[in-house]
Amino acid sequence: MCGIAGWADPSSPFLGGERLVRGMTRTLAPRGPDGEGVWAGNRAVLGHRRLAVMDPAHGHQPMVINDDQDRSVMALTYGGEVFNHIELRDELELLGHKFRTGTDTEVVLHAFWEWGTAAARRLNGMYAFAVWDVARRRLLLVRDRLGVKPLFYVRHGKGILFASEPKALFASGMVNAAVDEDGLRDFLASVRTPGRSLYQGVREVLPGTMLVIDTNGIREHRYWALEAKPHTDDLLSTVDTTRELLADTTRRHVHADVPLGALLSGGLDSSVLAALGQRAMLEDGNSPLRTFSVDFTGQFVPDQVRATPDAPYVRDMVAHCGLDHRDLVLDPVALSDPAHRRAVVDARDAPATGDMDTSLYLLFKAIREHTTVVLSGESADEVFGGHRLFHHQDALTVADYPWRYFAGHSGTYQALLRKDVAADLAIATHRADHYRQALLEVPRLPGESGTRRRMREISYLHLTRWLPDLLDRKDRLSMAAGLEVRLPFCDHRLVEYAFNTPWSLHSFDGREKSLLRAATVDLLPSSVATRTKTPYPITQDAEYDWAIQEQAGDLLATPSSPVWTYLDPQRLRDRIARPVIDHPTRSGIDFALNFDLWLRR
C-alpha cells in the first residue's frame, strides 16, 4: 500500500511541476514510510510514497517502461494490491514481456502497456493509480471497483492535480481547503454522494472508474458497475460457491513478502477470515496466522447494542484454530488524548466519529509494531446482509435510507447546529432528495417486485452509499499508521455473486448472514458460529466522558473558535452539564471537538 500524488496537463508544460509534486508527496509520508520517488516529464509529474509489501528490495516507484525502437514511455505511480497479479504475469510473459521485480506494480504497468485501458477490467484487487503515456500525452487515473483505495483530484486549467488524500492537494498551494456545503450536508445526513468530497472543487474518482485526461479534455470511463443478473443456483450450490469464492479470495489476500496478520473480534466475519487465512498459511508452510483484537480497560456492561464482550469468543477462536494471538488493550487516557484526536482528524481530512475512530487509529498503531499487513472483515455486513437494519420490517416500507439508527447518530450532530445554519442546510430535505436520486441507479431484473426488489435496493444502497464511508475510514486510519489493511469481502466476484443471490437464500434460516454462516460453519467453534452480530466495541469507562466534558468546557471558553460559525454554544453547554453521559451525548461532544479541529486545519 502506498500514497500517490501528481500533476498533468497534456496541453502545456509547467516548469515548476516537479517541485510542486514533491511537496504534495511529502504530506503522504505516513502512507509510505519505506521510500519516496518522483518521475518528472514536461507535461506530467508523478509522485510516490512506498509501503513495501511485495518484493521490498525492488519495486521502487514511480515505475517506468519504455520501447527503445519507437521511444515510447509509460510511467506509473501505484498504490494498493492486485491479487491476481501472478496469473496476469504468466499471461504477459507468454506475450513476450520481461519482468525485473516480483511486484504487482510492474504487472499493472505491463498490463496497461499491452492492453491499454482494457487492462483495468482484468485487475482483481484494491488499488488507485495513475498511468502517464508520454507519446499519447494521456493520463489515466484508475480506482478499484468498490473504492477501497481513495483517489482525489482537482481540475486546474486544462490539467489536473491528483492525490491519495485531499491534504496533498492543499499542499500544492493551488487548492483551498474550503468547506463544500453539499459535502457537509452529506456528512450530517449520514449519506455519501459518489465523487463528492467535503471540500469545494475536490472530487473523488468514482469506484470502478477510470478518469482519462488528454488533449481532448477530461472524461470518465466506467469499467465496472453492479448489475442485476438471474441467480440460478439452488441453496446447496449457492453455499458451495460462496465457500469457494471466500477460500480463493482469502488465499490470494494472505500472499505478502512482509509479516501479515488479521483482525479478530470473535464475530463471524473476522473469524471466517482468520480460519481460512490460517489454513492457507499452514498449507503454504508458513507460521500460524497472527491475529489481533482490541479491548478496553474497565468492566464490560451489556447494553441494547452489545450484549456480550468479544474476549470469550476470541479465546475460543484462538484455541480452535491455533492462532498466534495478541490482545491489545486501550485506556481512556489514550483515547481522550487531544494529540490523538488531532491525529485522527488529520488522517481523515474530516471530522472524525469520536472514540471509535480514535480507538481504530490506536489499534492500528499498536498492530504496526508487530506486522505490516492485516486482513479485516469490513464489508461483510453490506455484502451478506448482516446489519440488523436488513431484518427490520420498517426497512421494507419506509421511503428512506435503511440506516436510520445512524441517521439518529448524525441527528445528534444536527442537534448542536445553530438554528440559522440548520435552516440553511435543510438536512432532512437533502437526505430525502439524496435517497430518491440513489434509488434511480439501482439495477433490477425485469418483473422484480415485492421483497426481492426492496432487498436488492437495500443491498445496493448499503454498498454504494454506506460502505464507502467505512472503507474511507479504514484506509485513512490504517495508512496513518503505515499499516496495510486488506478486505477479502470486497472481492468483486464475491460482491457480484452475493448481490444477485435472492434474499430468501441470504436469510434461509431466519438469521442474519445465513448464507455466510452456512458456507463456513465447519471452520468455527460453535460459540462463534452461533454468536449474534455485535458491533465494533467502544470504551465504557466514565473517565473518557469526564475528559471530553472538560475539553468541551475549554472549547466553550474559546469564543473565537470557527466552530461557533456552525454550532450553538448553549446546546453544547447543555450536553456537558448532564449528570449521565449516554452514548448520543458522548457522540455530540466528540463531534463538537472534532469539528473544531477540522475547521482549524
Side-chain angles (χ1 to χ4, degrees):
M1 208 69 65
C2 306
I4 68 171
W7 156 85
D9 188 338
S11 300
S12 60
F14 173 45
L15 294 178
E18 182 174 353
R19 178 182 55 80
L20 178 144
V21 172
R22 285 192 183 277
M24 294 170 63
T25 304
R26 277 194 292 271
T27 67
L28 302 173
R31 297 185 73 92
D34 299 326
E36 178 180 298
V38 172
W39 177 89
N42 65 350
R43 296 178 190 273
V45 181
L46 308 182
H48 188 264
R49 291 291 314 197
R50 188 185 187 203
L51 176 62
V53 172
M54 305 300 297
D55 193 359
H58 306 96
H60 305 291
Q61 294 190 53
M63 194 173 284
V64 178
I65 187 172
N66 58 70
D67 188 323
D68 293 334
Q69 293 182 344
D70 64 8
R71 297 183 179 180
S72 298
V73 177
M74 185 176 285
L76 169 72
T77 181
Y78 165 87
E81 303 292 343
V82 167
F83 298 114
N84 63 333
H85 68 96
I86 294 175
E87 297 96 314
L88 291 174
R89 179 187 294 265
D90 291 343
E91 187 175 355
L92 288 163
E93 285 178 336
L94 290 175
L95 293 171
H97 290 253
K98 306 294 183 183
F99 292 89
R100 297 176 290 106
T101 75
T103 65
D104 57 329
T105 304
E106 191 177 13
V107 173
V108 171
L109 180 57
H110 280 259
F112 275 82
W113 183 272
E114 177 67 33
W115 297 306
T117 57
R121 292 194 296 271
R122 293 173 174 261
L123 306 180
N124 177 348
M126 54 181 200
Y127 46 79
F129 57 86
V131 183
W132 173 249
D133 188 321
V134 174
R136 290 186 174 91
R137 284 194 284 174
R138 182 181 71 184
L139 181 73
L140 303 177
L141 297 180
V142 186
R143 193 174 181 205
D144 66 71
R145 291 169 176 82
L146 272 293
V148 177
K149 304 312 296 177
L151 184 54
F152 296 86
Y153 68 95
V154 171
R155 296 179 182 232
H156 187 262
K158 294 182 179 180
I160 198 167
L161 295 166
F162 66 88
S164 298
E165 300 178 3
K167 62 174 64 68
L169 299 174
F170 305 144
S172 71
M174 297 182 175
V175 183
N176 294 320
V179 177
D180 182 87
E181 197 167 273
D182 282 332
L184 183 58
R185 286 189 177 97
D186 281 356
F187 178 83
L188 293 171
S190 288
V191 297
R192 186 94 171 200
T193 301
R196 181 184 291 158
S197 81
L198 278 164
Y199 302 98
Q200 291 179 18
V202 178
R203 301 283 297 170
E204 274 193 289
V205 176
L206 296 173
T209 297
M210 179 187 311
L211 211 62
V212 182
I213 303 96
D214 58 20
T215 54
N216 294 317
I218 301 174
R219 56 196 181 277
E220 288 183 345
H221 169 66
R222 191 76 178 264
Y223 70 89
W224 181 87
L226 280 170
E227 297 177 356
K229 299 177 181 179
H231 185 86
T232 58
D233 293 345
D234 62 15
L235 177 58
L236 289 179
S237 297
T238 301
V239 170
D240 289 344
T241 300
T242 301
R243 173 61 171 268
E244 290 169 6
L245 287 169
L246 282 168
D248 181 69
T249 188
T250 304
R251 173 171 286 282
R252 293 173 184 273
H253 277 70
V254 298
H255 178 60
D257 295 332
V258 293
L260 178 143
L263 302 176
L264 180 63
S265 68
L268 180 64
D269 312 335
S270 65
S271 298
V272 165
L273 295 183
L276 289 171
Q278 173 77 324
R279 282 195 175 188
M281 296 280 283
L282 296 180
E283 287 172 0
D284 289 342
N286 295 312
S287 300
L289 181 68
R290 299 178 181 182
T291 54
F292 305 90
S293 65
V294 64
D295 204 349
F296 302 92
T297 56
Q299 185 177 359
F300 175 83
V301 179
D303 58 30
Q304 291 182 334
V305 178
R306 298 168 183 84
T308 57
D310 289 342
Y313 301 94
V314 169
R315 288 195 294 269
D316 288 350
M317 270 300 298
V318 171
H320 185 77
C321 296
L323 302 166
D324 179 10
H325 184 71
R326 291 166 179 80
D327 293 310
L328 301 173
V329 181
L330 304 178
D331 64 65
V333 175
L335 287 169
S336 60
D337 187 334
H340 293 151
R341 183 184 298 277
R342 187 174 299 106
V344 168
V345 172
D346 288 345
R348 294 207 63 182
D349 288 314
T353 53
D355 61 305
M356 183 179 293
D357 279 17
T358 307
S359 68
L360 270 175
Y361 170 71
L362 294 174
L363 172 64
F364 291 146
K365 281 178 65 71
I367 292 174
R368 187 62 176 88
E369 297 177 6
H370 303 281
T371 191
T372 309
V373 180
V374 289
L375 308 185
S376 167
E378 194 79 85
S379 82
D381 286 322
E382 291 73 28
V383 173
F384 287 102
H387 288 300
R388 297 180 183 183
L389 303 173
F390 277 83
H391 305 270
H392 281 189
Q393 186 62 33
D394 281 354
L396 298 175
T397 57
V398 177
D400 189 9
Y401 284 111
W403 46 90
R404 282 180 298 284
Y405 167 79
F406 295 101
H409 190 254
S410 64
T412 301
Y413 306 163
Q414 295 172 42
L416 292 174
L417 294 174
R418 289 170 32 171
K419 289 184 179 180
D420 59 328
V421 173
D424 288 343
L425 292 176
I427 304 300
T429 300
H430 177 77
R431 181 180 169 96
D433 292 344
H434 197 280
Y435 170 75
R436 285 191 292 270
Q437 185 63 37
L439 276 187
L440 297 177
E441 294 180 13
V442 180
R444 299 178 177 90
L445 292 174
E448 205 166 47
S449 62
T451 299
R452 186 164 184 175
R453 175 188 175 98
R454 181 54 177 162
M455 295 313 296
R456 186 185 291 281
E457 291 174 349
I458 291 173
S459 176
Y460 185 87
L461 294 174
H462 273 89
L463 289 168
T464 64
R465 298 303 193 275
W466 177 248
L467 178 61
D469 192 61
L470 304 184
L471 298 180
D472 184 78
R473 178 176 67 184
K474 187 66 61 86
D475 172 86
R476 300 299 196 87
L477 298 178
S478 61
M479 294 309 295
L483 179 72
E484 175 174 299
V485 176
R486 297 180 176 180
L487 310 176
F489 286 107
C490 281
D491 187 307
H492 71 277
R493 300 168 303 161
L494 184 64
V495 173
E496 290 170 349
Y497 189 75
F499 179 68
N500 285 295
T501 298
W503 183 246
S504 59
L505 299 183
H506 276 293
S507 57
F508 70 87
D509 64 357
R511 296 200 59 187
E512 84 283 355
K513 288 186 283 196
S514 305
L515 179 56
L516 176 60
R517 185 176 286 102
T520 57
V521 65
D522 62 301
L523 299 170
L524 310 172
S526 59
S527 60
V528 173
T530 58
R531 187 186 184 191
T532 57
K533 175 177 171 50
T534 301
Y536 180 82
I538 60 172
T539 181
Q540 297 177 310
D541 198 317
E543 188 174 341
Y544 178 84
D545 299 321
W546 300 333
I548 65 172
Q549 283 176 296
E550 182 177 349
Q551 292 166 23
D554 293 339
L555 177 59
L556 285 165
T558 312
S560 61
S561 168
V563 79
W564 307 126
T565 304
Y566 296 91
L567 303 188
D568 183 332
Q570 186 57 49
R571 293 183 176 187
L572 178 60
R573 192 173 290 111
D574 290 343
R575 277 155 181 77
I576 67 172
R578 292 175 181 174
V580 177
I581 303 298
D582 58 14
H583 186 63
T585 303
R586 175 195 285 186
S587 297
I589 297 172
D590 272 325
F591 166 66
L593 296 171
N594 292 336
F595 198 34
D596 172 66
L597 288 174
W598 179 63
L599 291 170
R600 291 174 184 269
R601 69 203 178 287

